[in-house]
Structure formats: structure tokens, C-alpha cells
Amino acid sequence: MRARDEMLTAVRAAKPAALPRPDLAAVSRFARAENLVAVFAESARLAGASVLLTTRGGVDAFVDSASKPNERRVSMLDVDGVHHDATADDFANTDLFVCEGVIGVAETGAVWLPLSRLRHRAALFLATNVIIVLEQSRIVNNVHDAYAAIDVAEEECGVFVAGPSKTADIEQMLVIGAHGPKALTVLLVEG
Amino acid sequence: MIVDHASAAEKFNANPERVTWHDATLWYAREKRDRAAAEVPEWETLRELASAIKEHTLSHLDEYLVMFERAAIANGAIVHWARNADEHNAIVHGILHSAGARRLVKSKSMLTEECHLNPYLEARGIDVVDTDLGERIVQLRREPPSHIVAPAIHLKREDIAETFVEHLGTEPGVHDPLVLVGAARVHLRERFLAAQAGLTGVNFAIAETGGIVVCTNEGNADLGVAVPPIHIASMGIEKLVPGPAELAVFLRLLARSGTGQRATVYTTHVHRPVRGQHFHIVLVDNGRTTQLGRTDFWRSLKCIRCGACMNTCPVYRRSGGHAYGSTVPGPIGSVLTPGIDLQKYAALPFASTLCGSCTAVCPVKIDLDAQLYRWRQVVTKAGHTGRMKRTLASVGGKLLAHPTLLAGAGRVARVVSRIFPQTLTNRFAGAWTKHREAPEPSPQSFRAWYAANRRGKK
Ligand code: SF4
């Protein structure tokens, strides 16, 4: 407690004169994309994702085509897809992980995935290949709209994900598949 | 040890090809930043807002810290306060020790570099693995990072290949980044799955909701906290933003400014521990409050560590991050470090051309060049400048104050630089001229040219 009180006292003594909290009304007047689906697809592809426009009915067929029969697939779309007590080890050798996003952000190509959509937070990162299903109507214009649409604190944790994992730490050369998935597909479904 | 930026940079400049590569690679990052910024019509408004939000938050920092703490505790996090690096390190070690955890995976955190956490923990028997690829590379080489976003930017693939042959058992002569990243992936995945605790840095902390936000491209921070039962998040107290609406402003600026991406691959939010996990947040001061109290320099605390000022800085690009001898190099490093140890870092405010490029790109509008200039006054007053810089500065001051003296000096300079070879004149002009040719001296002074060409014209 001493450290806390000392730090707060020091901050109180040091802080500059009070400045007002900026009015964020301006963000509602920022440019809006005409075609949110098209801009989302462009942003997600720039981030290294594959993007496919399809229907609800087309999802299963795509998921089937994305993994071989002998590969390990975990799908949150199946009713009993993942056991409630799944551990990281259960996901460690997963070839394909399938889940559904809450919203998408046209500006960045990112999809919001709170923990409940993943069951285990490692699921999204341990699988080699990830497919995210997203309803086209759930795409918002920009990051401001995204935070207005979600409650960041609703669940234990949540992540905006834009594309497969990547690194440029060796000579700034972009390599896809650093620690997480080596491929990420967003299926934009109608409805 | 006192940092001598010029001599350290000379070492880096021993290999001109490498310097040229380093320079061009960072400039490429700057160009990507420009393209990304140009895509956003409201870019300048975002910068204004980001700056104003940070200034507001810093001017109410005590209230926001208390608000954050209250929300975080209500969320089930355990909040710790550390006045300095030692306290931070002791807190982290205490958490690990009482849980019996000996294997820690760590994602990028400049704060833990600043606190020298790794050696502290290693000396106490903890196995620390940095999991950001660039950080892992420099950790294996026992070097500090040379850039806050790209820690291994000073290395070429051959250097990294050599390190991997030694530590990861890759084939000698294999330099392909794809293969090297693949080897690191396998090596680090084992470490993730065996880890007993994960430590992350914090890009932003949300006061209203008590949550933390971490931005990465590799996914290493997520893996590091998803597997082990302990998550420790270490953050400087300046990382706070009021609420999620403010957070959005910064997220639009951060990746675009740093790497030219529209967003980092992962923007991870942690609010509560998942079942069976412990979530610790360590709030660290370590000199930040002192900086907050400096009228001329408190705005440096607005920094969101995007790296743009390094990428654009002509001195950083040509001297390398290690020349700064500080955790955070480049323009922002040269503004932060003199406040920590004025004598040790006295040279850094001078490692700048004051061209203002840093200020022009900074997403939170820190007046970096003006702060560097102000630190020069402080350093000079404290008597920490070398004799050469002092003489030059005082001669320069006299010349500028007397138009006739200045005109005469210009005449002398034009004659001298024509008569003597450049190697000789450069010897008196310091480190800046080492790899530079001065332009041909003009036969005419600017005054003469102006009198002949412009006077009286519109
Ligand atoms: S000072 Fe500005 S440009 Fe430099 S790292 Fe910080 S936020 Fe980025």
C-alpha cells in the first residue's frame, strides 16, 4: 500500500494543470465506405487473409474442402464441437479451427472474437489453419463504430484478428505463420 | 557508463553497405506509414484527438489510475504498484516464486527491458524466454533490442542464421527467412506449451473497464497467456486511456504509424482471468512521475511506442539503435533518457539534426525536435557538453548575433573550403561529416545573390 499511496501522491503533485476530456463527436462525421463488404474484403486480403463470399448453406462444403479426412478439425459451429473443459493440449495439434465472428471492421479487415466464440483462448492460435464465418450484415465501417458496437469488457478476453499471424523480424521480410495460424479465411455469409 | 553516441555510431558505420541497407529498410517503413496515413482522410484530426486525449489523461492521471485499479480489482485482477524497476522486478519474481513457476514466456515489453527484468529473474533461477521473434533473436545473442518495434533490425539474415545454427540446431548456410521463422516457430511452441507463467507488455489500459490491450502480429502474446495459469501484465502508468471510445482513436494510428498496416493482426483485450487462472497487473512509475512534473518535457509521456520517429530519423537510420545505449532509442529515446540520467545521456539530445521529421510523423503530436532542443539547453547549463560542442555553440551564437561578423565568416568559409581538401576541413566539423561530402562551395554569398537577383522584386 505504501508504494501505491506514494505513487499517487507523487502523480498528484507532478501532474500538469487539468485539461478537458476531448469531445469525440467528430468521429461520427468521418468518411463512410459505400460498400462495407468490398472494403472489408480488401482490408482483410491486405492483411493476408483469404476472403470468400458465400451463403450459410455454403459454409459446410467449404470447411469440408479445407481439411483432409485424416486431419484434426475443431469447429465451434458444431453443437458439440468443443468440450467445455477443453485444454490447450486439446488444441495443440489441430489442423483446422472454425469459429464465427461477432462483428467485422471494414477499415482494418479485423473480426471480433470474444472468448465464448473460441471456447479456449489458445484455439485461435494453436491451429495451423483458421476459418472465421462472418455475416455480411455484421460489418461496421471503422474502428470507432466497432467499439461502439461491442462491449469490450463483457467477457474475460477478446481479440480483434486481422489475417494470419505474421512476422517481419528477419530483414523486414514478411513471413506468414509466425506463432499462430499460417492461413486464415473469412467466409462472408449473406443474411 | 556515459553514452557516446558519435563513437558508438562509428562502430555501426564501419560497414557502409549495412548502414545503407539499414537506412533504406527503415525509410521503407516510413514510406509505408505515409501511404497508410494518406488513406485516412481524417488522419490529422485523429492525431489532434490522440494528443488531446493523452494530455487530458496525464493531467488527471491519479484519478484514472484509481479508476483503473478499482475496475480491474472488480474484474478479478490482482493489481500491484511499483515505484521503480527494483520493485517491479521483485513483484514479478514474488508472483512466480509463490506459485512455484520457473518457466516464464514473455511477449514484447519495453518496460521489462527498461527494468532489466530478464537478468534479475535469471539470477534467481527462472528460465525466461522472449517470444517475439525479433526479441528471441537478440536474447539468444545476448544483445539488447535496437528498435522498439523491430528489435533485430540491425541484423542481417546471415547473422540470424548463425545464431540459429548455434541455438536451434538449424543447418549451417540456411539463410531463408521462411525456414528460419519455421525453426523458431517449432522451438518457441515447445516453450509456450511448457510455460508456467506468461508476461506481456501493455499497449493501452482502459481506465473505465479495468482491461488491458496488447497489439501484436505474431500471436505470441496470446499464446503466452493462453496456455499457462498465470498472466502478468507489466505497464508504465502512462499507458492509460479513459475508455473504449478513446482506445479506438489510438488503434487507428498505432499500426499505420509503425508498420503501415491498417491494424496489427491481433488486438487482444484482457479484462478478467479465465477459469483457473491468475491475472496480475503491475503498474510501474520508474521515473515517469518525475518526467510528468517537468513543464518542458511531460508531453513525451504521450508516446504510444509506434516507432515512427525512429524510422524517419536520419540520425537513427544511419547510426543504429545500439548507438543510443538506452532501452528506447531514436528521437523519443533521446527525449526520455536525459530525464533519467542527465550526465549519462547528455550526448543524446545532440544526436539529431533538429530537422523535425520525427515531430511531423508522431501520431500523438509530441514536439520531439523542440524537446530535443530544450534538453540541449539543460545539458549545456549543467556543463555536460564536450568542449568542442560548447565552443562551436558559443562561436555560432556570436556570429548569428552580428551580421557583419557572419558575412565575413561566410567569405572565409567559401575560400577555405575551396583551398583545403575536404578530409582536412571535415576534421574540424565532427562526426556528422564522416561519410558525407560537403557540397561545392558557392562562388557567391547568399547576400550577394539576393542583392543581385531579388532585391526590390516582388
Ligand atoms: S514519440 Fe511519437 S513517433 Fe516516436 S514512438 Fe512515440 S508515438 Fe511513435
Side-chain angles (χ1 to χ4, degrees), chain B residues 118-400:
Chain B
N118 286 16
Y120 180 94
L121 292 179
E122 281 159 7
R124 285 156 185 81
I126 309 278
D127 175 41
V128 187
V129 175
D130 281 319
T131 59
D132 171 85
L133 178 61
E135 283 213 313
R136 184 62 180 152
I137 292 166
V138 296
Q139 186 189 29
L140 290 172
R141 298 171 63 91
R142 305 239 143 236
E143 288 173 6
S146 71
H147 187 290
I148 59 173
V149 174
I153 187 73
H154 59 291
L155 298 169
K156 298 284 286 176
R157 66 181 75 184
E158 292 78 19
D159 309 321
I160 296 163
E162 242 171 62
T163 306
F164 279 18
V165 169
E166 187 184 339
H167 296 278
L168 309 190
T170 50
E171 290 292 318
V174 175
H175 300 155
D176 182 356
L178 209 70
V179 178
L180 297 176
V181 172
R185 181 185 167 101
V186 173
H187 160 79
L188 285 166
R189 188 154 283 204
E190 283 166 19
R191 304 299 186 282
F192 282 123
L193 292 174
Q196 294 164 317
L199 187 147
T200 66
V202 171
N203 288 92
F204 304 99
I206 314 169
E208 285 169 1
T209 64
I212 60 135
V213 180
V214 186
C215 304
T216 70
N217 281 325
E218 297 183 6
N220 59 315
D222 295 272
L223 268 174
V225 301
V227 183
I230 300 169
H231 174 192
I232 305 169
S234 289
M235 60 176 273
I237 52 175
E238 82 282 19
K239 295 289 175 193
L240 282 169
V241 296
E246 280 88 358
L247 171 66
V249 173
F250 293 99
L251 290 175
R252 296 191 71 196
L253 291 162
L254 178 65
R256 287 186 172 96
S257 297
T259 57
Q261 293 169 275
R262 290 182 181 178
T264 50
V265 176
Y266 303 107
T267 307
T268 302
H269 306 61
V270 183
H271 276 87
R272 278 177 285 283
V274 298
R275 206 150 41 102
Q277 201 187 34
H278 294 282
F279 176 34
H280 297 265
I281 302 169
V282 191
L283 296 163
V284 185
D285 185 333
N286 205 35
R288 285 160 179 75
T289 304
T290 315
Q291 188 82 334
L292 187 65
R294 293 186 175 112
T295 321
D296 282 344
F297 304 108
W298 70 273
R299 287 184 173 84
S300 60
L301 294 171
K302 294 191 288 182
C303 176
I304 56 171
R305 302 287 191 270
C306 73
C309 58
M310 282 150 232
N311 301 341
T312 200
C313 177
V315 176
Y316 174 88
R317 282 188 276 118
R318 294 178 182 86
S319 63
H322 287 160
Y324 292 78
S326 62
T327 306
V328 179
I332 182 64
S334 302
V335 163
L336 292 172
T337 47
I340 299 165
D341 185 336
L342 189 66
Q343 187 172 4
K344 178 174 176 187
Y345 297 110
L348 294 189
F350 295 90
S352 164
T353 64
L354 297 186
C355 68
S357 186
C358 45
T359 303
V361 297
C362 177
V364 290
K365 300 193 79 137
I366 300 174
D367 53 342
L368 289 156
D369 59 326
Q371 294 198 28
L372 286 168
Y373 181 71
R374 291 198 287 271
W375 271 123
R376 290 184 182 185
Q377 331 283 304
V378 178
V379 169
T380 310
K381 264 200 209 112
H384 293 315
T385 38
R387 193 175 45 83
M388 189 66 167
K389 264 171 193 150
R390 259 201 316 274
T391 326
L392 282 177
S394 80
V395 171
K398 279 199 194 96
L399 284 177
L400 289 174

Side-chain angles (χ1 to χ4, degrees), chain A residues 58 129 174:
Chain A
N129 187 3
L174 186 69

Side-chain angles (χ1 to χ4, degrees), chain B residues 8-21:
Chain B
E10 198 168 331
K11 250 199 271 159
F12 186 72
N13 277 264
N15 183 343
E17 271 146 61
R18 183 165 293 211
V19 180
T20 306
W21 178 84

